[in-house]
Amino acid sequence: MQHWPWFVGGAALAGVCVFHWLTLRRMLAVSGRFTAMINRARFGPEKQVEMTAEELRAAMLAATREAFGPDAAPDAPPTSTKPEAKAGPTLTKQQSAGMHLLFLVALLCGGLVSAFLAGGPSFSGGLRGELFNGFFGGKASSAAVLLFGGVLVGFGTRMAAGCTSGHGLCGVSRFQVGSLLATMAFFGTGVLTSLLLRWLL
Amino acid sequence: MADETCPHMQGCEMYEIFTFSETLAVWKTRYCQGDFKRCERFQRSARGQPVPVNLLPNGHVLEKP
């Protein structure tokens, strides 16, 4: 299997993030979508709120004055009908569970397409490498270790409020300090684990 | 007041809104980059509860004017 050159993979990931923002006006966040699906199943659908940029600006100014006093938000809500006055963030409908599911399925399909382009996927029950399987006592226990690792990743992702896509791709590219620290933790732990396994095996 | 930034800023819809206007920066300095543990959005997120998109850090729910 021939892996893509790192710069092609990097450019593709950046392209996906930009495309996601341009089409949906949302930051790419894989674990965020997964969390949204779980929350919908646990707590039911959220109340839909939609506001245009002007409505949102007026509501925010009113709420800011209420919270911090009239001096905190001295600007009057814009009454201009010029296009630039309408620019700004909006509150849009929350995406449906179907959209979240479609995204996650597309994620898997993207991985498969990439694997086929690189010479075809290879499926295995555990981590490829007899040493790894042998160290953990066979394919089944090695798969259980990987599953446990996946649970830990999920736990850490919730603790850090984001995963490698939200923090690593979107947060770091926007120079968010929390995202930089989170990404350093992700990759630092990955490198340490890899070195530890290499030393153990 | 905590002198840290909110670890949940990434992906927070309200933070996106606060960064768009200097007038709204007071929310950012008081909560996102200040005492974020008082933020209702952070508290709900930390408890694993869904965070309504129109919920403000002080617990006020933003409605259409």
Side-chain angles (χ1 to χ4, degrees):
Chain A
M1 188 174 183
Q2 290 288 318
H3 290 291
W4 290 13
W6 60 269
F7 52 87
V8 175
L13 282 171
V16 168
C17 293
V18 172
F19 181 73
H20 193 275
W21 170 254
L22 290 177
T23 51
L24 299 173
R25 292 284 163 190
R26 286 167 201 274
M27 289 292 162
L28 180 77
V30 177
S31 61
R33 284 185 178 276
F34 188 71
T35 306
M37 284 182 65
I38 300 294
N39 279 342
R40 193 155 303 184
R42 283 179 67 196
F43 302 103
E46 291 175 52
K47 187 184 167 192
Q48 294 287 1
V49 189
E50 278 185 280
M51 283 192 214
T52 63
E54 282 176 282
E55 288 170 340
L56 178 62
R57 191 176 296 148
M60 280 302 308
L61 284 172
T64 306
R65 288 193 187 105
E66 195 184 315
F68 306 109
D71 294 339
D75 297 346
T79 51
S80 169
T81 53
K82 289 178 183 173
E84 59 267 30
K86 293 180 178 174
T90 56
L91 287 189
T92 51
K93 269 189 174 175
Q94 295 294 292
Q95 288 184 32
S96 65
M99 270 297 283
H100 293 313
L101 190 63
L102 179 66
F103 178 86
L104 295 175
V105 170
L107 199 69
L108 290 176
C109 291
L112 276 176
V113 168
S114 148
F116 276 114
L117 288 176
S122 61
F123 299 99
S124 67
L127 194 71
R128 274 171 294 155
E130 291 308 313
L131 281 175
F132 186 88
N133 291 340
F135 184 77
F136 288 105
K139 269 194 171 182
S141 46
S142 140
V145 168
L146 292 175
L147 185 66
F148 178 66
V151 171
L152 286 182
V153 167
F155 187 75
T157 295
R158 287 295 291 147
M159 275 182 74
C163 59
T164 43
S165 62
H167 282 307
L169 295 175
C170 298
V172 169
S173 61
R174 297 164 73 213
F175 304 112
Q176 300 281 349
V177 177
S179 296
L180 280 165
L181 291 174
T183 308
M184 283 163 68
F186 297 153
F187 285 97
T189 311
V191 168
L192 281 178
T193 309
S194 172
L195 289 175
L196 181 69
L197 278 177
R198 185 170 292 190
W199 178 68
L200 284 173
L201 301 179
Chain B
M1 185 184 278
D3 190 21
E4 296 173 59
T5 55
C6 177
H8 293 194
M9 278 193 317
Q10 183 62 39
C12 176
E13 294 96 340
M14 271 297 154
Y15 181 73
E16 296 289 324
I17 293 167
F18 299 155
T19 54
F20 198 78
S21 159
E22 279 184 29
T23 312
L24 305 177
V26 62
W27 295 96
K28 214 167 55 169
T29 50
R30 296 277 181 96
Y31 289 97
C32 316
Q33 295 163 352
D35 194 0
F36 66 86
K37 286 180 184 164
R38 280 195 311 133
C39 173
E40 182 68 22
R41 297 181 67 86
F42 170 79
Q43 289 174 9
R44 287 199 191 196
S45 179
R47 287 197 298 262
Q49 293 174 340
V51 183
V53 68
N54 56 339
L55 178 71
L56 286 168
N58 63 352
H60 179 86
V61 175
L62 211 56
E63 300 288 354
K64 258 188 183 184

